């Protein structure tokens, strides 16, 4: 499939170097790349840089030039370039000669091979050559990298590197708030929170001195420390207030996910299909037996899953919309499953009965469909609207819909009772649209206590746990266990 590369170049007062770096970039012939664009943002330069750029634009049609009305910094210029770029892959390139575009093929290879979402070029991994510059500058880079690694959990050797490469759809979905050099630790923190697959490759480095025009200084180092600490505590890794950001926030309540999968475990067979896998929040806790197939209707989510499970022979990934009879039939003709898992998915589907009928095609006779659903329509609040819930269920409603779709329910129970007060206050009374990180962590701490209590007390939980068998003919549910 043809790939287009966007090279994002922020420029400020680089009249001496900009022509040479642009010509080097344009000269690169990169295997796997069919088209290049240079998205250059002039950050209100005060020397001859604007005139040089205007001339370059007339010479090279690959250049798309944008001017900032006032100087804002590297981060702001990059943010503008991200907004304007149109390629499949985006690469950051400084406007000086410190970094060599000859490294592009190595930087792009992990993404082109489908292994990575993000690639960093490291100046500190063994490479062909480097210019010996300032020892104390290297120490500062190493300190910031280690501090960043400590807070993100990544194992980078060079967080401050210019050369960062991204799948563009991922990059465009990440907000960039830092106007200056804080963009480096900020974007590193955010790709970590997004669970992006990150690779590092060695690059050559020809560092310049401050006399030659280097701009970063000790104040930027202090700012970088502040940025690292800031994004340790702030979840701000999606550009839009949407279900994706809520989905990502569920990483803070991993005990709830384990609770759901523990409830499901006794009913799981050896050939398991998960519908609506998202970014793999539940998948990591599902057993990998004979087959584990993960699906989602969102292409970006499928790409993330493919990268995470690259090389795993047990886990299969495919794009699937449970509402599409055509897609479900195609998968059904290829494979059947003894267990289908849909955790917090059915409420996102407008015609849920038709989706249940579609899913039945994927099940073996007497195969099990396992659902987790939001309960109680009176709990429907602003966050339900934000994440795209069409409804919250009652037991009677879901039983009738399952019967209509041709299932026999064997387990129907409420769980997650202690979340009801917090949910009602935040999203019904106060009408908030986001989950508070600290509330989620407190809730996560309570889950072992909740799960223990609910073994013995029939509490009216915020969620329903359903296990149903595939029946060719709907039957009366005379044998239903639950609370």
């Amino acid at each position: 499939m043809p790939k287009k590369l966007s090279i994002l170049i922020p420029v400020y007062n680089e009249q001496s170097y900009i022509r040479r770096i642009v010509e080097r970039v344009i000269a690169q012939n990169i295997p796997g790349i069919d088209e290049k664009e240079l998205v250059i943002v002039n950050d209100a330069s005060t020397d001859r840089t604007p005139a040089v750029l205007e001339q370059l634009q007339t010479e090279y049609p690959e250049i798309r030039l944008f001017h900032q009305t006032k100087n804002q910094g590297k981060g702001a210029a990059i943010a503008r370039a991200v907004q304007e770029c149109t390629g499949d892959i985006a690469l950051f390139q400084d406007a000086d000669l410190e970094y060599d575009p000859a490294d592009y093929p190595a930087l792009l290879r992990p993404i082109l091979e489908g292994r990575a979402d993000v690639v960093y070029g490291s100046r500190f991994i063994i490479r062909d050559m480097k210019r010996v510059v300032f020892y104390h500058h290297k120490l500062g880079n190493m300190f910031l990298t280690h501090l960043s690694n400590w807070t993100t959990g990544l194992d980078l050797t060079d967080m401050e590197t210019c050369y960062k490469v991204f799948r563009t759809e991922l990059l465009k979905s990440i907000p960039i708030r830092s106007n200056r050099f804080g963009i480096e630790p900020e974007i590193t923190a955010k790709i970590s929170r997004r669970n992006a697959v990150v690779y590092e490759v060695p690059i050559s480095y020809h560092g310049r001195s401050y006399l030659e025009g280097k701009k970063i200084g000790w104040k930027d180092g202090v700012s970088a420390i502040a940025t690292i600490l800031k994004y340790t505590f702030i979840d701000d890794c999606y550009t839009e207030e949407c279900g994706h950001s809520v989905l990502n926030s569920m990483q803070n309540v991993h005990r709830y996910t384990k609770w759901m999968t523990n409830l499901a475990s006794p009913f799981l067979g050896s050939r398991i299909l998960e519908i609506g896998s998202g970014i793999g929040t539940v998948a990591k806790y599902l057993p990998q037996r004979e087959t584990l197939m993960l699906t989602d209707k969102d292409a970006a989510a499928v790409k993330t899953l493919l990268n995470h499970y690259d090389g795993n022979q047990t886990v299969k990934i495919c794009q699937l919309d449970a509402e599409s009879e055509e897609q479900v039939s195609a998968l059904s003709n290829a494979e059947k499953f003894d267990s289908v898992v849909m955790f917090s998915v059915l409420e996102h589907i407008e015609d849920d009965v038709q989706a249940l009928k579609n899913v039945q095609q994927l099940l073996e006779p007497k195969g099990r469909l396992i659902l987790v659903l939001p309960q109680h329509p009176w709990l429907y609040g602003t966050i339900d609207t934000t994440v795209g819930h069409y409804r919250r269920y009652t037991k009677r409603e879901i039983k009738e819909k399952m019967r209509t779709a041709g299932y026999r329910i064997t387990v129907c129970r409420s769980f997650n009772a202690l979340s009801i007060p917090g949910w009602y206050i935040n999203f019904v009374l106060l009408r908030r649209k986001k989950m508070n990180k600290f509330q989620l962590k407190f809730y996560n701490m309570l889950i072992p206590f909740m799960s223990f209590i609910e073994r013995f007390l029939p509490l009216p939980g915020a969620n329903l746990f359903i296990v149903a068998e595939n029946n060719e003919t709907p039957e009366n549910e005379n044998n239903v266990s639950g609370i």
Side-chain angles (χ1 to χ4, degrees), residues 256-305:
Y256 173 71
T257 307
K258 290 182 71 174
W259 188 11
M260 290 191 297
T261 51
N262 286 341
L263 290 173
S265 289
F267 308 99
L268 294 172
S270 59
R271 294 179 305 283
I272 303 167
L273 166 68
E274 185 190 9
I275 295 177
S277 300
I279 58 176
T281 304
V282 172
K284 68 179 72 172
Y285 298 108
L286 293 173
Q288 296 181 24
R289 293 170 180 161
E290 183 180 330
T291 298
L292 173 60
M293 177 166 281
L294 308 179
T295 69
D296 202 275
K297 69 178 183 179
D298 180 57
V302 171
K303 180 66 176 177
T304 298
L305 293 169

Side-chain angles (χ1 to χ4, degrees), residues 373-414:
L373 305 167
Q375 189 177 204
H376 306 308
W378 54 270
L379 275 178
Y380 193 94
T382 49
I383 198 165
D384 290 285
T385 304
T386 299
V387 300
H389 289 177
Y390 284 99
R391 67 194 72 81
R392 297 181 71 90
Y393 291 88
T394 64
K395 282 187 178 181
R396 176 177 295 182
E397 176 189 10
I398 190 59
K399 286 180 180 180
E400 180 58 34
K401 289 184 174 184
M402 297 292 286
R403 208 171 9 239
T404 301
Y407 295 88
R408 183 177 70 88
I409 294 179
T410 59
V411 177
C412 178
R413 57 160 290 187
S414 298

Side-chain angles (χ1 to χ4, degrees), residues 394-442:
T394 64
K395 282 187 178 181
R396 176 177 295 182
E397 176 189 10
I398 190 59
K399 286 180 180 180
E400 180 58 34
K401 289 184 174 184
M402 297 292 286
R403 208 171 9 239
T404 301
Y407 295 88
R408 183 177 70 88
I409 294 179
T410 59
V411 177
C412 178
R413 57 160 290 187
S414 298
F415 75 104
N416 193 23
L418 290 184
S419 70
I420 290 177
W423 188 279
Y424 186 77
I425 291 169
N426 279 292
F427 308 123
V428 179
L429 292 182
L430 299 179
R431 304 187 64 79
R432 291 174 175 160
K433 296 182 180 180
K434 289 185 66 175
M435 293 182 174
N436 181 282
K437 178 180 178 179
F438 298 101
Q439 288 178 333
L440 286 173
K441 288 197 170 183
F442 180 68

Side-chain angles (χ1 to χ4, degrees), residues 45-86:
S45 297
T46 57
D47 62 1
R48 291 188 60 257
T49 297
V52 177
L53 289 172
E54 294 288 349
Q55 178 60 37
L56 285 167
Q57 189 178 32
T58 65
E59 297 174 24
Y60 300 105
E62 300 98 323
I63 292 177
R64 299 175 60 219
L65 177 59
F66 303 90
H67 296 280
Q68 303 278 64
T69 56
K70 71 174 187 175
N71 180 257
Q72 299 175 61
K74 178 180 179 179
I78 286 285
R80 174 71 184 279
V82 171
Q83 178 185 336
E84 302 290 350
C85 74
T86 61

Side-chain angles (χ1 to χ4, degrees), residues 152-389:
T152 63
L154 298 175
D155 185 25
L156 295 170
T157 62
D158 190 5
M159 178 272 295
E160 287 283 338
T161 180
C162 156
Y163 273 167
K164 294 177 173 70
V165 191
F166 305 82
R167 288 190 300 106
T168 303
E169 62 184 355
L170 170 65
L171 180 60
K172 281 182 174 286
S173 70
I174 296 175
I176 298 173
R177 313 293 186 193
S178 301
N179 283 343
R180 286 183 55 80
F181 296 100
I183 184 178
E184 316 293 2
E186 176 190 348
I187 210 160
T188 302
K190 291 178 179 181
I191 62 171
S192 170
R193 287 194 180 277
R194 292 284 295 271
N195 293 311
V197 178
V198 184
Y199 273 58
E200 269 192 320
V201 299
I203 58 171
S204 55
Y205 181 60
H206 311 276
R208 61 178 177 172
S209 69
Y210 290 100
L211 291 175
E212 295 170 304
K214 194 171 189 69
K215 297 178 178 69
I216 193 168
W218 68 268
K219 291 182 180 178
D220 296 299
V222 173
S223 176
I225 294 172
T227 302
I228 291 169
L229 298 177
K230 174 182 177 180
Y231 289 107
T232 300
F233 300 102
I234 294 177
D235 289 326
D236 178 35
C237 53
Y238 283 88
T239 53
E240 75 284 356
E241 291 296 321
C242 68
H244 288 291
S245 59
V246 175
L247 185 62
N248 193 72
S249 71
M250 294 305 291
Q251 303 293 328
N252 293 311
V253 286
H254 61 277
R255 288 176 177 170
Y256 173 71
T257 307
K258 290 182 71 174
W259 188 11
M260 290 191 297
T261 51
N262 286 341
L263 290 173
S265 289
F267 308 99
L268 294 172
S270 59
R271 294 179 305 283
I272 303 167
L273 166 68
E274 185 190 9
I275 295 177
S277 300
I279 58 176
T281 304
V282 172
K284 68 179 72 172
Y285 298 108
L286 293 173
Q288 296 181 24
R289 293 170 180 161
E290 183 180 330
T291 298
L292 173 60
M293 177 166 281
L294 308 179
T295 69
D296 202 275
K297 69 178 183 179
D298 180 57
V302 171
K303 180 66 176 177
T304 298
L305 293 169
L306 285 167
N307 286 344
H308 273 291
Y309 289 96
D310 178 50
N312 189 315
Q313 299 301 309
T314 300
V315 179
K316 302 177 182 179
I317 315 290
C318 78
Q319 190 167 356
L320 180 69
D321 183 352
E323 290 186 273
S324 169
E325 290 187 64
E326 183 181 356
Q327 289 185 27
V328 172
S329 294
L331 179 57
S332 174
N333 291 334
E335 195 161 1
K336 298 285 187 180
F337 302 89
D338 54 31
S339 314
V340 174
V341 175
M342 296 176 72
F343 286 178
S344 303
V345 173
L346 198 63
E347 64 272 21
H348 292 270
I349 300 175
E350 186 171 10
D351 191 347
D352 52 353
V353 174
Q354 184 59 53
L356 289 168
K357 290 178 179 178
N358 292 343
V359 170
Q360 193 179 40
Q361 301 177 50
L362 298 164
L363 282 167
E364 298 174 349
K366 301 301 180 182
R368 293 184 174 120
L369 173 62
I370 304 169
L371 302 172
V372 171
L373 305 167
Q375 189 177 204
H376 306 308
W378 54 270
L379 275 178
Y380 193 94
T382 49
I383 198 165
D384 290 285
T385 304
T386 299
V387 300
H389 289 177

